Amino acid sequence: MYDYNTTYGGPEGLAPLGMITFNGTSNQIVSRSGPELWMNSITIDKPAGARCYFDKPVKLNYSLNICGGIWQDMANNFVHQLNANLNVWPNGAIANDTNNTFSFVGSQHQFIAYEGTGGFTNVIINKTASTRTSDLAAASDSGTVSRSVDVT
């Protein structure tokens, strides 16, 4: 979605659309009238410093890829839910100034690769007994968990 803000409603959100790519050169806002933003996969591929703002907690069925640009919450204390992989590349970032939480859930294995700047404020890993979340570590010293990691 190139340089357009996105507002949507309905019970299914944007999940039926598959992967959504935010690749505009300026900041973009994703908003919804419902309680959460429900999508299948998100790719953020923006120039350095450009932000993709989310006005509600995000629930992803599949992967989150931040190739370039910054993931930014518009309010404090969001709990985002990921059911698959998280990849933050060297030109990407998660802004951790809003006390956000990323919760890794589901019945499949998950992989976390974080090479960008910023980092997590809080992380929750809540998996079934036969699954795992792997590599909660930064490839460089720049990725951090600044408050807590809870494994349940």
Side-chain angles (χ1 to χ4, degrees):
M1 297 187 165
Y2 187 80
D3 281 343
Y4 293 101
N5 293 331
T6 304
T7 302
Y8 66 94
E12 295 181 347
L14 293 175
L17 298 178
M19 182 187 292
I20 306 292
T21 299
F22 298 97
N23 59 358
T25 57
S26 61
N27 295 337
Q28 292 175 274
I29 297 172
V30 183
S31 63
R32 180 172 188 226
S33 58
E36 62 189 17
L37 298 163
W38 176 47
M39 301 178 199
N40 271 341
S41 294
I42 294 175
T43 295
I44 299 173
D45 193 5
K46 304 176 82 49
R51 295 174 186 264
C52 195
Y53 290 96
F54 296 90
D55 82 332
K56 301 281 190 318
V58 175
K59 181 179 180 181
L60 288 175
N61 293 330
Y62 301 109
S63 61
L64 170 59
N65 296 294
I66 305 175
C67 304
I70 302 168
W71 168 293
Q72 177 74 56
D73 294 334
M74 293 178 69
N76 291 325
N77 302 314
F78 286 169
V79 177
H80 304 293
Q81 188 177 74
L82 282 77
N83 288 288
N85 299 332
L86 169 70
N87 297 294
V88 180
W89 302 105
N91 293 327
I94 295 175
N96 61 3
D97 57 349
T98 56
N99 199 32
N100 58 21
T101 298
F102 281 81
S103 178
F104 295 90
V105 300
S107 59
Q108 62 184 346
H109 298 311
Q110 291 172 286
F111 180 77
I112 301 170
Y114 203 111
E115 297 182 60
T117 59
F120 303 104
T121 304
N122 303 294
V123 172
I124 298 171
I125 298 173
N126 187 6
K127 307 291 291 178
T128 59
S130 62
T131 62
R132 66 182 181 270
T133 298
S134 301
D135 294 331
L136 180 58
S140 65
D141 292 334
S142 59
T144 64
V145 176
S146 64
R147 297 226 176 145
S148 66
V149 175
D150 295 323
V151 179
T152 57

